[in-house]
mmCIF file of all heavy atoms in Angstrom:
data_model
loop_
_atom_site.group_PDB
_atom_site.id
_atom_site.type_symbol
_atom_site.label_atom_id
_atom_site.label_comp_id
_atom_site.label_asym_id
_atom_site.label_seq_id
_atom_site.Cartn_x
_atom_site.Cartn_y
_atom_site.Cartn_z
ATOM 1 N N ASN A 39 -46.307 -16.710 34.729
ATOM 2 C CA ASN A 39 -47.725 -16.964 34.851
ATOM 3 C C ASN A 39 -48.119 -17.453 36.224
ATOM 4 O O ASN A 39 -47.277 -18.011 36.947
ATOM 5 C CB ASN A 39 -48.161 -18.047 33.831
ATOM 6 C CG ASN A 39 -47.843 -17.646 32.392
ATOM 7 O OD1 ASN A 39 -47.715 -16.462 32.091
ATOM 8 N ND2 ASN A 39 -47.768 -18.638 31.513
ATOM 9 N N PHE A 41 -51.115 -19.778 38.276
ATOM 10 C CA PHE A 41 -52.158 -20.826 38.119
ATOM 11 C C PHE A 41 -52.860 -21.105 39.499
ATOM 12 O O PHE A 41 -52.225 -21.035 40.526
ATOM 13 C CB PHE A 41 -51.588 -22.157 37.589
ATOM 14 C CG PHE A 41 -50.951 -22.004 36.264
ATOM 15 C CD1 PHE A 41 -49.625 -21.626 36.172
ATOM 16 C CD2 PHE A 41 -51.690 -22.259 35.107
ATOM 17 C CE1 PHE A 41 -49.024 -21.484 34.932
ATOM 18 C CE2 PHE A 41 -51.097 -22.125 33.839
ATOM 19 C CZ PHE A 41 -49.752 -21.746 33.773
ATOM 20 N N GLN A 43 -55.173 -24.052 41.429
ATOM 21 C CA GLN A 43 -55.631 -25.427 41.362
ATOM 22 C C GLN A 43 -56.561 -25.645 42.573
ATOM 23 O O GLN A 43 -56.062 -25.806 43.728
ATOM 24 C CB GLN A 43 -54.524 -26.464 41.388
ATOM 25 C CG GLN A 43 -55.003 -27.858 41.120
ATOM 26 C CD GLN A 43 -53.874 -28.864 40.918
ATOM 27 O OE1 GLN A 43 -52.812 -28.726 41.483
ATOM 28 N NE2 GLN A 43 -54.174 -29.934 40.147
ATOM 29 N N SER A 48 -58.226 -29.595 37.832
ATOM 30 C CA SER A 48 -57.060 -29.298 37.063
ATOM 31 C C SER A 48 -56.596 -27.853 37.316
ATOM 32 O O SER A 48 -57.346 -27.032 37.759
ATOM 33 C CB SER A 48 -57.366 -29.446 35.584
ATOM 34 O OG SER A 48 -57.921 -30.685 35.297
ATOM 35 N N ARG A 51 -55.169 -21.327 34.517
ATOM 36 C CA ARG A 51 -54.317 -20.107 34.454
ATOM 37 C C ARG A 51 -55.146 -18.860 34.808
ATOM 38 O O ARG A 51 -56.250 -18.680 34.325
ATOM 39 C CB ARG A 51 -53.714 -19.920 33.074
ATOM 40 C CG ARG A 51 -52.517 -18.944 33.090
ATOM 41 C CD ARG A 51 -51.879 -18.838 31.750
ATOM 42 N NE ARG A 51 -52.720 -18.112 30.826
ATOM 43 C CZ ARG A 51 -52.361 -17.842 29.523
ATOM 44 N NH1 ARG A 51 -51.148 -18.266 29.058
ATOM 45 N NH2 ARG A 51 -53.168 -17.206 28.721
ATOM 46 N N PRO A 100 -36.732 -24.571 27.116
ATOM 47 C CA PRO A 100 -37.092 -25.549 28.149
ATOM 48 C C PRO A 100 -36.022 -25.574 29.267
ATOM 49 O O PRO A 100 -34.907 -25.184 28.988
ATOM 50 C CB PRO A 100 -37.143 -26.883 27.381
ATOM 51 C CG PRO A 100 -36.193 -26.679 26.250
ATOM 52 C CD PRO A 100 -36.270 -25.233 25.860
ATOM 53 N N PRO A 101 -36.394 -26.012 30.456
ATOM 54 C CA PRO A 101 -37.773 -26.462 30.836
ATOM 55 C C PRO A 101 -38.591 -25.310 31.340
ATOM 56 O O PRO A 101 -38.033 -24.373 31.910
ATOM 57 C CB PRO A 101 -37.473 -27.482 31.933
ATOM 58 C CG PRO A 101 -36.261 -26.917 32.629
ATOM 59 C CD PRO A 101 -35.421 -26.249 31.514
ATOM 60 N N TRP A 102 -39.909 -25.371 31.213
ATOM 61 C CA TRP A 102 -40.772 -24.568 32.103
ATOM 62 C C TRP A 102 -40.452 -24.985 33.504
ATOM 63 O O TRP A 102 -40.262 -26.175 33.770
ATOM 64 C CB TRP A 102 -42.235 -24.858 31.889
ATOM 65 C CG TRP A 102 -42.884 -24.471 30.614
ATOM 66 C CD1 TRP A 102 -42.334 -23.678 29.643
ATOM 67 C CD2 TRP A 102 -44.165 -24.843 30.193
ATOM 68 N NE1 TRP A 102 -43.270 -23.519 28.664
ATOM 69 C CE2 TRP A 102 -44.388 -24.215 28.925
ATOM 70 C CE3 TRP A 102 -45.167 -25.657 30.708
ATOM 71 C CZ2 TRP A 102 -45.560 -24.422 28.238
ATOM 72 C CZ3 TRP A 102 -46.346 -25.872 30.019
ATOM 73 C CH2 TRP A 102 -46.554 -25.228 28.781
ATOM 74 N N SER B 35 -48.194 -29.192 25.294
ATOM 75 C CA SER B 35 -47.319 -29.687 26.389
ATOM 76 C C SER B 35 -47.988 -30.796 27.199
ATOM 77 O O SER B 35 -49.226 -30.922 27.264
ATOM 78 C CB SER B 35 -46.930 -28.565 27.311
ATOM 79 O OG SER B 35 -46.255 -27.534 26.606
ATOM 80 N N GLN B 39 -48.271 -34.391 37.709
ATOM 81 C CA GLN B 39 -48.393 -34.044 39.104
ATOM 82 C C GLN B 39 -48.448 -35.348 39.899
ATOM 83 O O GLN B 39 -49.429 -36.083 39.865
ATOM 84 C CB GLN B 39 -49.658 -33.231 39.346
ATOM 85 C CG GLN B 39 -49.810 -32.701 40.749
ATOM 86 C CD GLN B 39 -50.936 -31.746 40.913
ATOM 87 O OE1 GLN B 39 -51.994 -31.865 40.271
ATOM 88 N NE2 GLN B 39 -50.750 -30.684 41.737
ATOM 89 N N TRP B 47 -43.327 -29.853 34.575
ATOM 90 C CA TRP B 47 -43.360 -29.929 33.061
ATOM 91 C C TRP B 47 -42.649 -31.160 32.585
ATOM 92 O O TRP B 47 -41.585 -31.508 33.104
ATOM 93 C CB TRP B 47 -42.721 -28.645 32.544
ATOM 94 C CG TRP B 47 -42.508 -28.701 31.046
ATOM 95 C CD1 TRP B 47 -43.408 -28.484 30.086
ATOM 96 C CD2 TRP B 47 -41.232 -28.963 30.388
ATOM 97 N NE1 TRP B 47 -42.809 -28.589 28.812
ATOM 98 C CE2 TRP B 47 -41.502 -28.927 28.977
ATOM 99 C CE3 TRP B 47 -39.952 -29.330 30.856
ATOM 100 C CZ2 TRP B 47 -40.499 -29.135 28.058
ATOM 101 C CZ3 TRP B 47 -38.996 -29.520 29.889
ATOM 102 C CH2 TRP B 47 -39.260 -29.431 28.502
ATOM 103 N N THR B 100 -47.499 -22.282 24.782
ATOM 104 C CA THR B 100 -46.289 -22.140 25.639
ATOM 105 C C THR B 100 -46.609 -21.515 26.954
ATOM 106 O O THR B 100 -45.801 -21.556 27.879
ATOM 107 C CB THR B 100 -45.278 -21.274 24.869
ATOM 108 O OG1 THR B 100 -45.851 -20.031 24.462
ATOM 109 C CG2 THR B 100 -44.722 -22.004 23.660
ATOM 110 N N GLY B 101 -47.785 -20.973 27.065
ATOM 111 C CA GLY B 101 -48.180 -20.375 28.354
ATOM 112 C C GLY B 101 -49.195 -21.177 29.137
ATOM 113 O O GLY B 101 -49.720 -20.725 30.125
ATOM 114 N N ALA B 102 -49.461 -22.419 28.669
ATOM 115 C CA ALA B 102 -50.380 -23.279 29.374
ATOM 116 C C ALA B 102 -51.734 -22.650 29.697
ATOM 117 O O ALA B 102 -52.184 -22.649 30.844
ATOM 118 C CB ALA B 102 -49.782 -23.818 30.657
ATOM 119 N N GLY B 106 -56.337 -29.987 30.394
ATOM 120 C CA GLY B 106 -57.271 -31.093 30.423
ATOM 121 C C GLY B 106 -57.536 -31.505 31.859
ATOM 122 O O GLY B 106 -57.002 -30.919 32.799
ATOM 123 N N GLN B 107 -58.376 -32.514 32.003
ATOM 124 C CA GLN B 107 -58.722 -33.004 33.393
ATOM 125 C C GLN B 107 -57.644 -33.932 33.927
ATOM 126 O O GLN B 107 -57.670 -34.244 35.130
ATOM 127 C CB GLN B 107 -60.063 -33.657 33.377
ATOM 128 C CG GLN B 107 -60.112 -35.128 33.003
ATOM 129 C CD GLN B 107 -59.795 -35.389 31.506
ATOM 130 O OE1 GLN B 107 -59.785 -34.486 30.673
ATOM 131 N NE2 GLN B 107 -59.548 -36.687 31.192
#
Side-chain angles (χ1 to χ4, degrees):
Chain A
N39 300 339
F41 298 87
Q43 188 173 30
S48 304
R51 195 177 72 179
W102 289 349
Chain B
S35 300
Q39 186 170 38
W47 170 80
T100 54
Q107 86 290 347

